[in-house]
Amino acid sequence: MLIRRLTILLLIVGCAPITFSNLQSAKMVRKGKLEYTPSFSSSMHTNSFGLQTAYGLNNKYNVRLRLERILIDFDGFESDSSNFIDMSIFNIKANITHLSFGIKYQLLKNKSAIYLPISLTKNDINSDIIKQIEPTYIHSFTLGKYFEFNPSIKALIPLDSDTKDYLLAYNLGFGISSNLSKWVIRPEVGILSSLSEGGGIPHMSIGLSLYQ
C-alpha cells in the first residue's frame, strides 16, 4: 500500500513536489570552464538539497548535470494544500533522488538560451523511475555590474506512456554579486501548474553559482 501510494502520488501529481526550480542564467560557461551551483529549495513541506554543474563544450554549448536529494513530509499537508491531489491521504515520509542531464544552447549571447535535459526521479521505497524531458527557455537581463534578472519557463513532459499530465514551471530568478563572472547568489521563486488541472504549487529557492 505504501509503495502504491508513492507511485500514485508521483504519477498523478506529475512530480509536483519534486524539482522544478531553475537556478541558472542564460549565460554560458566558457569553453573548458566549469560552474558549480549548490542549492536549497522549499515547496509545500518539501525540502530539496541539490548541486548543479556545467561544463563549457564551446561558446555555444554547455553540458549540465543536476543531482537533487528531496525530503517530503506528507504529515504536514492539509487536505486542501494542493489543487492537483489531496495530499492528506499520504501520511508518510519519503526520500527521493532526482538526476537530470542535458545540453544548454545559446540563442543570443548573454541574453537567451534553451536547455534540454532528461530527468530521472526515483523514490527510496521501490525501483520505479519517473523519466521526463524538461525543455527550458531562459532569458537574462543584466542590470549594471552587480545584478541580473532571469525569468524562465520549463515544460515537464513525461516519457512514460502511462503518465499523460504535462506541467509548466514558471520561475523568476535573480543574480546578485560583486563580480558576476566569478560568483553569483541566486534567489528564485516559481510556480508549477498543470495543463489539465487548476491551481499551482509554489517554490522558494536559493543557490550559489561558483565559476572556475
Side-chain angles (χ1 to χ4, degrees), residues 23 36-39 51 176 183-186 206-210:
L23 297 167
Y36 304 95
T37 305
S39 64
L51 175 67
I176 305 166
W183 60 272
V184 184
I185 298 173
R186 299 196 180 281
I206 185 79
L208 173 63
S209 292
L210 303 171

Side-chain angles (χ1 to χ4, degrees), residues 29-100:
V29 179
R30 292 177 298 168
K31 181 179 179 180
K33 300 297 182 180
L34 290 165
E35 171 195 331
Y36 304 95
T37 305
S39 64
F40 170 78
S41 298
S42 182
S43 174
M44 289 180 59
H45 302 282
T46 301
N47 293 319
S48 304
F49 302 87
L51 175 67
Q52 295 188 60
T53 62
Y55 176 76
L57 297 175
N58 53 44
N59 293 333
K60 287 279 191 178
Y61 291 93
N62 285 179
V63 59
R64 294 186 67 91
L65 174 71
R66 181 173 190 167
L67 180 63
E68 201 95 4
R69 188 63 173 165
I70 304 152
L71 311 178
I72 305 175
D73 184 358
F74 294 105
D75 291 336
F77 283 105
E78 298 177 355
S79 61
D80 61 349
S81 62
S82 170
N83 291 312
F84 297 165
I85 189 173
D86 181 358
M87 297 280 190
S88 65
I89 66 174
F90 300 99
N91 296 314
I92 52 177
K93 291 180 171 63
N95 295 329
I96 294 173
T97 300
H98 173 92
L99 174 68
S100 65

Side-chain angles (χ1 to χ4, degrees), residues 91-158:
N91 296 314
I92 52 177
K93 291 180 171 63
N95 295 329
I96 294 173
T97 300
H98 173 92
L99 174 68
S100 65
F101 52 91
I103 294 293
K104 181 177 176 181
Y105 174 71
Q106 174 184 281
L107 297 175
L108 292 174
K109 185 177 180 180
N110 295 332
K111 293 184 180 297
S112 63
I114 292 176
Y115 179 42
L116 296 173
I118 292 175
S119 68
L120 307 173
T121 304
K122 179 185 179 299
N123 67 70
D124 289 355
I125 305 299
N126 60 22
S127 59
D128 293 340
I129 298 176
I130 294 177
K131 298 175 284 293
Q132 296 186 123
I133 185 169
E134 303 180 5
T136 304
Y137 174 76
I138 313 161
H139 200 95
S140 289
F141 302 89
T142 302
L143 306 176
K145 297 180 179 180
Y146 311 115
F147 188 79
E148 62 184 23
F149 173 56
N150 304 305
S152 64
I153 182 171
K154 174 190 298 189
L156 288 80
I157 303 171

